[in-house]
Each structure stands twice: as C-alpha cells, then as structure tokens.
Amino acid sequence: MTTTTDPVCGKQLETDQAIATIEHDLHTYFFCSDDCRSDFESAPDRYATHSPQPTCAACGGSIDQEDLVCPHCHTPLAAG
C-alpha cells in the first residue's frame, strides 16, 4: 500500500482508501473526503504541489519513487 497526504487537510491516508481522486497537471491527488475534493476543485493552484512529481513514462500518472509498478496502468517501472 502507498501512503499519501490529502493536499487540503494534510491527513495521511492509504491511496486505496481515498474517498476521491483528481488528476491535475498530470498528478493524481487523493482525498479523505468529498469536502476536501471540492475545496481542491475550487482552488487547485492553492493546494497543488508545485514540486516535480515522478510520473509513469507509459501513462503519465503520478508515481512514488518506491513504486515497482505504476498504480494507474500497472506498467513495470525501472528500479530507482
């Protein structure tokens, strides 16, 4: 399982337990509630991370450096 942080409230959550997700600027954001998702949608630049996020070369989805396969398209990733 992959742990991430809800960009609105800062809560740590497992990606597979997220209530909602949004793709923004080729990055997947995970949310603990529909309220946090709604807040993000109303002002994405306020909450979006501006640091480069690793992405999958096959689908462009966001990945974590320790991922062995893309969580979006399941393409095997090169070992970092």
Side-chain angles (χ1 to χ4, degrees):
M1 284 191 252
T2 302
T3 301
T4 190
T5 303
D6 182 315
V8 175
C9 69
K11 180 179 179 181
Q12 293 285 311
L13 62 142
E14 298 294 331
T15 55
D16 64 344
Q17 299 296 312
I19 299 299
T21 61
I22 291 178
E23 294 286 331
H24 177 73
D25 288 341
L26 298 177
H27 180 80
T28 304
Y29 292 91
F30 298 86
F31 303 94
C32 68
S33 69
D34 285 324
D35 289 339
C36 284
R37 178 197 45 79
S38 179
D39 288 350
F40 183 93
E41 284 181 319
S42 67
D45 290 335
R46 176 178 177 193
Y47 299 107
T49 3
H50 296 288
S51 60
Q53 173 72 24
T55 58
C56 172
C59 73
S62 61
I63 59 173
D64 289 322
Q65 290 188 16
E66 62 272 1
D67 287 342
L68 299 177
V69 296
C70 176
H72 310 284
C73 70
H74 307 289
T75 299
L77 304 171

